[in-house]
Amino acid sequence: MVMLTSADSARVGGNLNLTGADLNTGLTITAAAGDILIATDVGGLVQVTDNGGAFGSVGNLSFIANSIFAMTDQAFADIVGMSVVDVDLRLAQNDGIINNDGVIRGGNISMTTTNSSIYIQNTAAGTDFDDRRGITAGSLTLFDTVTATPLNIAINGIIGGNTGVDAVATTDITAGFDPASTINGCVIANAASCSSTTPTPTPTPTPAPIDSSPPVTAASGSAVENLVQDIGEEEATSSDTKMILTMNLAGNSIIQIKEYENLSEIGLLDEPVTGAGNDDLWQSDNDCPTVASDGCGTDSDSEDANEFVPTK
């Protein structure tokens, strides 16, 4: 049995390989008051192998810490403060470290935390549930020494020879865990809902139909310029068209056109014109001179002596 212990946190930045192992060989890494980080972007890898270099069927590999991480430094920085749902989405993405055998390898692997998280990033190029890698274990057991708070789990890899959703049933979790916790992207609490491929994203809702009416173009020579100045209404008038532009936030057409007749081109009086002319030129018989040389007041057609008759 080989034991590596840190009083605080432990970071693995290279290939830690316990080789020549048999069924009774073991490697234990402990971070007494901190976390364990296997930094994959600088070659971090922990494994137990037999004399031929094979792994996944021999030896015992144990991790004990507040939290256990296997990921790139960038992913480690990104997940700070994230919910388990968001952590799962981030760790599904590979940061360019392609390793189909994963970065944690052993026959029997156990991980024990003190009220925190176990996160292992996908080390495969694909993100489908069956494609994901990160850990290769003959068996995997997850412990949490503090039962009051659920364990956060988002891991990727091959467990007992199983990939994708099948790896969920072969993982032994001896602690309460966050309902959103996942293995290979499959929600542990509802593994039956996980298919063999990554779910198709929800389609973007079809936008409301756009008004296909032809665009309005001002007539040649029109003085219509900069019609839209602000939210509201603004008018622009040409010789025979009045255009009213309205910013309509409900999604309807913002341009309305109303034809109207130019009243300046229409006569104000209907024909025939009937009337008595200019009444300033009218005079009564009483206004006639003493000698009516021009026939004033003697019109034979007048029926009333006091009737106004126009002067010549």
Side-chain angles (χ1 to χ4, degrees):
M1 177 69 70
V2 177
M3 300 183 68
L4 303 175
T5 301
S6 169
D8 195 349
S9 293
R11 172 185 169 92
V12 180
N15 185 353
L16 177 56
N17 181 16
L18 178 60
T19 190
D22 57 26
L23 294 177
N24 297 316
T25 302
L27 171 63
T28 299
I29 302 175
T30 301
D35 304 324
I36 295 175
L37 170 61
I38 301 172
T40 60
D41 50 342
V42 290
L45 186 154
V46 178
Q47 62 180 350
V48 177
T49 63
D50 62 16
N51 288 325
F55 53 85
S57 61
V58 296
N60 302 287
L61 180 57
S62 299
F63 299 89
I64 302 171
N66 288 343
S67 293
I68 301 168
F69 306 107
M71 61 189 66
T72 63
D73 285 329
Q74 183 60 60
F76 184 72
D78 290 345
I79 66 174
V80 174
M82 282 186 176
S83 67
V84 177
V85 172
D86 291 332
V87 169
D88 172 67
L89 293 174
R90 175 61 181 90
L91 297 187
Q93 304 303 314
N94 184 292
D95 292 338
I97 309 302
I98 308 299
N99 191 330
N100 289 327
D101 294 325
V103 294
I104 300 176
R105 310 167 183 171
N108 301 307
I109 299 177
S110 67
M111 297 184 176
T112 302
T113 67
T114 55
N115 187 31
S116 203
S117 308
I118 300 175
Y119 293 148
I120 301 175
Q121 186 176 15
N122 177 26
T123 61
T127 59
D128 285 350
F129 303 135
D130 288 338
D131 293 340
R132 300 188 189 192
R133 302 293 184 265
I135 183 172
T136 299
S139 67
L140 176 63
T141 303
L142 307 180
F143 296 95
D144 185 13
T145 60
V146 179
T147 59
T149 303
L151 178 63
N152 301 321
I153 303 170
I155 65 176
N156 297 281
I158 303 173
I159 313 299
N162 297 294
T163 62
V165 65
D166 295 331
V168 175
T170 55
T171 300
D172 185 12
I173 304 175
T174 63
F177 52 86
D178 188 290
S181 294
T182 64
I183 295 177
N184 290 326
C186 300
V187 176
I188 299 171
N190 188 21
S193 66
C194 188
S195 63
S196 61
T197 57
T198 303
T200 302
T202 303
T204 302
T206 303
I210 299 175
D211 189 353
S212 59
S213 302
V216 176
T217 303
S220 177
S222 171
V224 178
E225 294 180 355
N226 300 323
L227 297 179
V228 179
Q229 297 292 332
D230 198 357
I231 296 177
E233 292 189 357
E234 188 167 349
E235 299 180 0
T237 306
S238 65
S239 60
D240 60 356
T241 303
K242 181 177 183 181
M243 302 177 66
I244 303 175
L245 274 68
T246 303
M247 297 299 292
N248 188 334
L249 300 182
N252 297 325
S253 175
I254 65 170
I255 299 178
Q256 298 177 344
I257 301 177
K258 179 181 179 182
E259 300 288 346
Y260 83 105
E261 296 180 345
N262 190 337
L263 298 180
S264 64
E265 299 178 358
I266 302 176
L268 299 179
L269 299 178
D270 294 332
E271 294 182 355
V273 177
T274 58
N278 190 341
D279 58 3
D280 289 338
L281 301 179
W282 284 61
Q283 65 182 16
S284 66
D285 287 344
N286 294 332
D287 295 329
C288 289
T290 304
V291 180
S293 59
D294 58 357
C296 178
T298 61
D299 191 340
S300 59
D301 294 332
S302 297
E303 296 180 357
D304 188 340
N306 294 322
E307 180 183 6
F308 286 102
V309 291
T311 59
K312 295 181 180 179

